[in-house]
Amino acid sequence: MEKIEHTTVQTNGINLHVASIGTGPAVLFLHGFPELWYSWRHQMISLSSLGYRAIAPDLRGYGDSDAPPSAESYSSFHIVGDLVGLIDKMGIDKVFLVGHDWGAVIAWHFCLFRPDRVKALVNMSVPFRPRHPIIKPVEGLRALFGDDYYICRFQEPGEAEEDFAGDDIANILKKFYGGRNPSPPCVPREIGFKGLKAPELPFWLSQQDLDYFVEKFKQKGFTGGLNYYRALNLTWELTAAWSGVQVKVPTKFIVGDLDITYHFPGAKEYINGDGFKKDVPFLQDVVVMEGVAHFINQEKPEEVTTHIYDFIKKF
């Protein structure tokens, strides 16, 4: 870990904190919510030893990167813009892209907007979701799951922050990291996130690891990460011109069978049927890992690293 280098890169009008290690072809890792570059620590060390340059930023709004206050600064165009600017600054023409959770959403959009900058994609947890021509994402989720669905609960600026503030940050993070129930996460307003019972520290996370996450979220707060959810409808509006466009990048997809994303209505049929391949024609491999929950890259670090390496070494 001490060999990982930390730099600040100016890109797209903000400063991004970037962790990197190794030399060779560049692998750009994109984390999810509520996470940091640190979520990729295992893969970064392993792939650097296999001859790759592993690069993992704290995305806009997280950790030691800048966090513009307005949710309108968190569309997929902003985030992809940050990342294209980052690889420009680092003198990199093309990257292998690896995403998880929100990082996967951003990676799909990166490949839609700038496929010329991506050699191949390994995405985890969140499959590609084609843009619905009429229904905005938050309205679609509300119709499916109701107002208590966690993404709907995150929409009102300040509300989730106030709820989280009623609890210890370590407890809040454990509630996200420790979940192994794949049913849709609904949190009644009268109970709130603070009213949920915090599980034990998950087996894949040490106290030292948790302390690092806690320290950074204590400094930064959760607003930056929550703003990605608040910009869902904005991204939908701005991506109208990309309706029906396929992701034409060589792709591998990995998901755990206990992940809430795998149990989303229609997800299993889409991922394992013809739909996914129709939208992502260069999808070469789908891996469903048994008994594995959402934070797959940390829960099964060696297996995930092997899956990444076995795919990107072909290119």
Side-chain angles (χ1 to χ4, degrees):
M1 286 291 284
E2 63 278 358
K3 290 182 180 171
I4 294 176
E5 295 176 5
H6 296 270
T7 54
T8 299
V9 177
Q10 287 188 316
T11 170
N12 195 20
I14 65 165
N15 292 310
L16 280 192
H17 163 247
V18 183
S20 62
I21 184 171
T23 55
V27 185
L28 180 61
F29 293 95
L30 309 180
H31 69 79
F33 176 88
E35 299 183 82
L36 301 163
W37 75 269
Y38 191 83
S39 303
W40 297 109
R41 60 199 177 281
H42 306 293
Q43 287 75 30
M44 292 177 74
I45 291 165
S46 299
L47 285 170
S48 69
S49 71
L50 291 166
Y52 291 89
R53 183 182 182 187
I55 302 163
D58 281 333
L59 295 178
R60 170 187 291 240
Y62 285 95
D64 294 318
S65 293
D66 285 352
S70 168
E72 291 179 357
S73 300
Y74 290 81
S75 76
S76 285
F77 287 98
H78 289 89
I79 317 300
V80 173
D82 296 345
L83 298 168
V84 171
L86 169 63
I87 61 174
D88 284 347
K89 274 281 177 73
M90 298 182 93
I92 299 164
D93 180 37
K94 289 190 169 195
V95 293
F96 292 111
L97 202 53
V98 179
H100 169 258
D101 185 77
W102 258 107
V105 177
I106 299 304
W108 292 123
H109 282 136
F110 194 127
C111 293
L112 272 185
F113 304 155
R114 295 302 304 269
D116 58 305
R117 305 301 297 271
V118 183
K119 290 182 193 171
L121 167 68
V122 179
N123 244 357
M124 291 167 228
S125 183
V126 181
F128 182 68
R129 292 206 179 106
R131 181 185 183 277
H132 195 285
I134 301 161
I135 302 169
K136 293 182 180 183
V138 177
E139 281 59 52
L141 293 167
R142 192 170 272 124
L144 270 175
F145 303 118
D147 289 333
D148 289 342
Y149 188 59
Y150 78 107
I151 291 175
C152 302
R153 289 290 317 280
F154 285 171
Q155 291 305 307
E156 188 58 41
E159 192 177 291
E161 291 92 329
E162 190 179 328
D163 185 356
F164 290 177
D167 200 353
D168 180 69
I169 288 178
N171 280 342
I172 291 288
L173 293 176
K174 282 195 279 190
K175 288 171 192 182
F176 284 105
Y177 300 159
R180 302 189 76 76
N181 178 354
S183 57
C186 291
V187 183
R189 187 171 265 103
E190 59 275 13
I191 294 171
F193 288 87
K194 62 179 176 285
L196 301 175
K197 186 176 183 298
E200 294 297 307
L201 194 64
F203 66 88
W204 47 262
L205 200 67
S206 72
Q207 185 61 49
Q208 187 183 355
D209 294 331
L210 182 67
D211 290 345
Y212 184 84
F213 285 111
V214 168
E215 179 200 348
K216 295 302 175 185
F217 279 100
K218 197 172 277 182
Q219 289 169 10
K220 194 62 122 205
F222 289 94
T223 300
L226 292 165
N227 277 342
Y228 285 67
Y229 296 94
R230 293 166 185 159
L232 272 166
N233 284 351
L234 175 62
T235 291
W236 178 86
E237 290 170 16
L238 296 173
T239 49
W242 281 264
S243 282
V245 176
Q246 295 171 309
V247 175
K248 292 191 171 174
V249 166
T251 301
K252 179 173 189 169
F253 182 72
I254 309 168
V255 66
D257 70 351
L258 296 179
D259 197 325
I260 57 167
T261 60
Y262 193 57
H263 293 260
F264 193 86
K268 288 181 193 174
E269 296 76 12
Y270 176 77
I271 290 166
N272 299 306
D274 298 330
F276 202 0
K277 183 84 175 164
K278 189 170 153 229
D279 294 325
V280 187
F282 305 142
L283 178 67
Q284 295 184 16
D285 199 6
V286 171
V287 178
V288 180
M289 295 176 73
E290 285 186 30
V292 182
H294 181 67
F295 295 92
I296 190 165
N297 48 321
Q298 296 184 78
E299 183 175 335
K300 293 287 181 187
E302 293 86 5
E303 292 93 326
V304 166
T305 297
T306 301
H307 279 305
I308 295 168
Y309 178 64
D310 286 348
F311 188 62
I312 66 176
K313 72 181 182 186
K314 300 177 189 175
F315 300 93

